[in-house]
Amino acid sequence: MILPRYRIAASTIGGAGKGLFLEENVAAGRIVTAPDAIDRTWRYAELTGSPELSSQLYASARWFEDRYTVSPDWPDECFINHSFDPTGLWHLGFVFALRELSAGTEITVDYRHLLPPGQEEDFIDTATGEKIIGLPWAESLALSTRALSSLLGGLPAL
């Protein structure tokens, strides 16, 4: 589910097709998208081992550890594009605003958090020319947790 008002329009990222754009200002740290209607996750081996599911790998995203969702119906959240300088932080299926975002901002995330470890995306990052390669789960979780903690002003010790 996408929480702020938004629109789908031509992306500002070359070759990306359509993108998701805010229709209102969003404060840093606010949740932009949250999981809903997720009825199932699959292990990567299940995705690649099934002819039906493997044909839909383009519509998969890692949620946690070795568990992926598949969204072949292409909900509007799927129009969030990749950037190595993203406006949103992907953390366990939620997307948080990484800074104060003005209406008209395109929401982007770092796809390395959504890909299987070591999997190379079929396209490169157009801003840097770098390959987009999935991070190992532990590294992805550590990076996104640190970024979220910093974004929210750090967390008190337990």
Side-chain angles (χ1 to χ4, degrees):
M1 106 180 58
I2 304 169
L3 300 175
R5 289 187 321 274
Y6 70 95
R7 65 185 163 81
I8 304 299
S11 177
T12 59
I13 300 167
K18 294 181 180 178
L20 189 148
F21 293 83
L22 296 174
E23 286 287 305
E24 63 183 83
N25 297 338
V26 174
R30 181 173 170 204
I31 294 173
V32 177
T33 69
D36 75 337
I38 305 299
D39 65 344
R40 166 110 208 240
T41 63
W42 286 269
R43 294 195 181 284
Y44 189 67
E46 292 175 293
L47 291 177
T48 57
S50 159
E52 179 185 348
L53 290 173
S54 65
S55 70
Q56 298 176 28
L57 279 175
Y58 71 92
S60 68
R62 178 174 59 193
W63 283 76
F64 62 94
E65 296 177 348
D66 183 37
R67 304 299 270 180
Y68 297 78
T69 59
V70 177
S71 301
D73 56 339
W74 209 256
D76 286 352
E77 290 89 342
C78 292
F79 290 104
I80 295 175
N81 288 311
H82 165 80
S83 175
F84 283 132
D85 184 24
T87 57
L89 170 66
W90 174 274
H91 181 74
L92 297 173
F94 291 84
V95 174
F96 294 83
L98 272 171
R99 56 185 176 273
E100 300 294 319
L101 301 175
S102 301
T105 299
E106 182 173 1
I107 301 301
T108 57
V109 297
D110 184 341
Y111 278 9
R112 295 177 301 168
H113 295 284
L114 287 77
L115 295 171
Q119 180 179 317
E120 187 176 324
E121 192 57 90
D122 293 337
F123 52 86
I124 60 168
D125 178 84
T126 58
T128 66
E130 294 179 43
K131 294 178 180 179
I132 305 163
I133 302 171
L135 297 170
W137 165 248
E139 183 180 354
S140 171
L141 183 61
L143 288 170
S144 67
T145 300
R146 274 193 228 92
L148 184 58
S149 177
S150 176
L151 179 64
L152 299 177
L155 299 173
L158 296 176

